[in-house]
Amino acid sequence: MTRGGTTSPNPEPPVEQVGWADADRFVVGWVERPRGSRRPQAVLGAHAVRVLRGPLAERVHAPCAYVGEPEDTRRAAPGAAFTLFEDPGLQRLLCAVAAPDPEGRDLLYAVRDAAGELIGTVRRVAGGPLTPHTWRIDQPGHPEVTGTGKVGSLNGPGRKLGASAGIAVDLVTRALTAQDGAKKQKKPRTLHWYAGEEKVMDSEGSDTVAVRATWLDRRLAFAFALIGDGQKPARGAAGGCPVAARHRYPGAVPGGSTPP
């Protein structure tokens, strides 16, 4: 059994790992071979970022980066909230997502490579009483990427009407959801991510992410999926340590070691 996951008895071989740098459509999870007409039970593997491959009837979720559990994150990147590794043994750090400052309404997550160099940032922009939160991705050398539930850039020509309609639809959706009651889970929202007029990626909640722009560093998209698009973002390994969020990765915790 691969560390960090489980396996189900099955005659099928493990799904081979694929490269992470050009991952186009991915999920984060344990499912390696989904349940289907030819497979009555899903086959599980390691907790990983998994690229969707093959036609629907023969779909596989190929791992491209492995998720560090809290103990692995504390070992490899003290003070970080999340980590990803290049290998299933969780020894070669791919990137770390720093915990945000807990005092701000907006949450800024710095994403760094194994050497501690900044890859970029993912920012969760707080919403209001009737508006949901939105997202920003900043990758040095590229325009800012905005993730919202509206189709198209907010600043582009001819977008104002679409944006207003998007807000109206969102308000109606929120009202209907509230009427359904708290017991009925809300369907994950679709986010459209734009850099100006260019569509960079789409996401369904934080479950399925489809990257369209070749220039986007996939580790920033992975970071968004790890944080999650829920009302309360995942805290990760640093969730119980608010002091660590005030320090910059690497060496986030005073006296902590720097990453390899």
Side-chain angles (χ1 to χ4, degrees), residues 63-83:
C64 71
Y66 297 87
V67 179
E69 303 307 329
E71 61 272 19
D72 302 302
T73 296
R74 286 189 285 267
R75 165 182 57 81
F82 309 99
T83 48

Side-chain angles (χ1 to χ4, degrees), residues 3-4 66-96 114 237-238 249-253 255-260:
R3 192 162 81 88
Y66 297 87
V67 179
E69 303 307 329
E71 61 272 19
D72 302 302
T73 296
R74 286 189 285 267
R75 165 182 57 81
F82 309 99
T83 48
L84 288 173
F85 293 82
E86 296 186 64
D87 63 305
L90 308 184
Q91 297 301 311
R92 299 195 304 274
L93 183 66
L94 175 63
C95 65
Y249 167 82
V253 177
S257 59
T258 57

Side-chain angles (χ1 to χ4, degrees), residues 36-187:
S37 58
R38 302 179 184 178
R39 190 180 298 115
Q41 183 177 352
V43 179
L44 305 182
H47 193 194
V49 177
R50 296 181 170 275
V51 181
L52 278 58
R53 288 285 184 262
L56 188 60
E58 301 174 2
R59 178 69 49 83
V60 297
H61 296 177
C64 71
Y66 297 87
V67 179
E69 303 307 329
E71 61 272 19
D72 302 302
T73 296
R74 286 189 285 267
R75 165 182 57 81
F82 309 99
T83 48
L84 288 173
F85 293 82
E86 296 186 64
D87 63 305
L90 308 184
Q91 297 301 311
R92 299 195 304 274
L93 183 66
L94 175 63
C95 65
V97 183
D101 188 334
E103 292 185 357
R105 291 188 70 241
D106 294 350
L107 300 178
L108 182 67
Y109 299 82
V111 183
R112 297 180 181 272
D113 64 17
E117 294 296 324
L118 182 68
I119 299 167
T121 60
V122 178
R123 179 158 52 103
R124 184 182 189 275
V125 181
L130 296 177
T131 57
H133 61 274
T134 58
W135 295 87
R136 305 289 186 273
I137 290 178
D138 181 26
Q139 180 178 333
H142 295 278
E144 182 183 63
V145 180
T146 300
T148 72
K150 310 171 190 64
V151 178
S153 168
L154 295 179
N155 298 322
R159 301 290 189 184
K160 291 184 178 180
L161 180 60
S164 299
I167 292 173
V169 170
D170 184 74
L171 293 179
V172 172
T173 301
R174 288 167 66 89
L176 292 175
T177 302
Q179 292 175 9
D180 286 342
K183 293 183 179 180
K184 189 171 182 179
Q185 186 175 2
K186 184 179 179 181
K187 180 181 178 181

